[in-house]
Amino acid sequence: MPRGLRTPASSPSRSTTSSTSSYGEVIGHRQPHAQSQKTDSLAPVREQVAQTIVLRATREAETVEGSKVGVILTLPYSSGEEFLDTVAAELKRVLLLKQQSYLFILALPTKGISPVLVCSSSEELAERAGILVKSKFLNRVVRHELRFGRWGALIRDLCTTTYDEAALWDAARKAARQPMDPLHPPPGSRSISQILEHARARLQRITPQQAYEEVQDLTLHWPVVLVDIRPEAQRREFGSIAGALVVERNVLEWRFDPRCAYRLPIADRYDLRVIIFCQESFTSSLAAASLHDLGLLNATDMIGGYAAWKGAGLPDEIEVSSTAPPTDGRISVPIET
């Protein structure tokens, strides 16, 4: 078992669970003496493989505020827990020799119970990462504890979805950040003005008059849909455009992702022209940029929003000729299952 996760009676520990059960007790007792001798004979092989893994992991590691961070996923096998301990020891040898601060999350992903070990150059970093891992996997964490400067846990069905590895990486990155001044923005953050500016830089925004002309143009070779993302209260207060498709902001991506089972019938292709408007065209710019992230690169928003539409004297009712559901025989993007 990894040294940092055993619970001998004389060892100091800081348990983060209400249970006194050890990591070793959760995954089972040690194997018979004969099997242990056989496992020990593989120690040189494990060390050699661990060295190769650590070499590659340190090369591919990210640097977060001076600390090397990474996630190492290895194939599960009978002596996997001992192997995690071997990798952790090799990481310590290589990185502390360079006086390098580090934080790595090691795991043996598998269906069922998977061991996870957080090793770091400091106990504080390991504990912070462990808290984040526990919060991300919630009721899937069977046991967890901090011991000998390492945080270990057993997690159900680890890495059976793409979320899990991304969550481990996120925990490692965030834990490695230095404590921040609450009055100063953290590195990498942006103000809403900067986010809006970046979103609009990705779009070819159009005026209400251009939007009006596009939705009625029968010569276009792609479908065009005018989308009102305002909440119902705003539509009641300020009015609406009859013929525009009402899709409130909180469900927009699900309705227009061609791969999503909850998409609208019209949203079955990536050349769809989606013209989004809100009341004054702030939220609509962010929404259109979000559709770009889904692959709908023709999406845009209407400058000035509904207020500008009314100010331009455009009609409260339009005839949209290109928003019909798919016809028989039309090829559509397959839905992800």
Side-chain angles (χ1 to χ4, degrees), residues 19-178:
S19 170
T20 59
S21 297
S22 74
Y23 177 86
E25 289 169 346
V26 173
I27 60 175
H29 297 288
R30 283 190 174 275
Q31 298 182 7
H33 179 67
Q35 183 63 34
S36 297
Q37 289 182 330
K38 180 180 178 181
T39 302
D40 290 341
S41 68
L42 297 177
V45 177
R46 289 201 303 271
E47 290 174 2
Q48 185 175 7
V49 175
Q51 289 172 6
T52 302
I53 290 175
V54 168
L55 179 62
R56 183 176 67 248
T58 52
R59 285 176 177 172
E60 297 175 354
E62 299 179 6
T63 301
V64 178
E65 299 190 19
S67 295
K68 286 281 189 181
V69 301
V71 173
I72 299 176
L73 306 177
T74 68
L75 296 175
Y77 60 101
S78 59
S79 58
E81 293 76 35
E82 286 83 358
F83 185 59
L84 289 187
D85 192 47
T86 303
V87 174
E90 180 64 15
L91 278 168
K92 181 178 180 180
R93 185 189 70 82
V94 170
L95 294 174
L96 289 188
L97 189 64
K98 301 177 182 179
Q99 297 183 328
Q100 171 71 60
S101 174
Y102 70 92
L103 172 65
F104 281 81
I105 300 178
L106 320 178
L108 297 170
T110 183
K111 289 185 177 180
I113 302 297
S114 299
V116 174
L117 182 62
V118 179
C119 59
S120 174
S121 52
S122 77
E123 184 175 292
E124 181 185 358
L125 280 178
E127 186 173 19
R128 286 211 304 255
I131 291 171
L132 290 172
V133 169
K134 183 175 180 292
S135 68
K136 290 178 179 296
F137 292 93
L138 298 175
N139 60 347
R140 291 168 59 189
V141 177
V142 178
R143 292 283 189 276
H144 62 95
E145 57 188 357
L146 181 70
R147 189 178 299 277
F148 297 113
R150 297 175 182 173
W151 186 92
L154 298 177
I155 300 178
R156 294 190 184 94
D157 301 327
L158 186 64
C159 291
T160 53
T161 69
T162 55
Y163 164 86
D164 290 0
E165 184 175 358
L168 293 175
W169 269 104
D170 187 65
R173 294 182 184 114
K174 288 179 177 176
R177 292 176 181 168
Q178 298 298 321

Side-chain angles (χ1 to χ4, degrees), residues 200 203-212 215 226-228 241 274-282 284-285 288 299-310 314:
R200 286 177 171 172
L203 308 174
Q204 292 181 325
R205 308 181 71 212
I206 61 175
T207 65
Q209 182 64 42
Q210 290 172 319
Y212 176 67
V215 295
L226 186 63
V227 180
D228 186 348
I241 304 172
V274 183
I275 305 172
I276 300 174
F277 70 91
C278 61
Q279 187 60 27
E280 295 180 341
S281 81
F282 293 98
S284 61
S285 296
T300 191
D301 77 323
M302 189 169 69
I303 299 171
Y306 180 75
W309 180 282
K310 291 291 290 184
L314 295 170

Side-chain angles (χ1 to χ4, degrees), residues 22 112 197 310 318 336:
S22 74
E197 182 181 6
K310 291 291 290 184
I318 58 173
E336 289 183 348

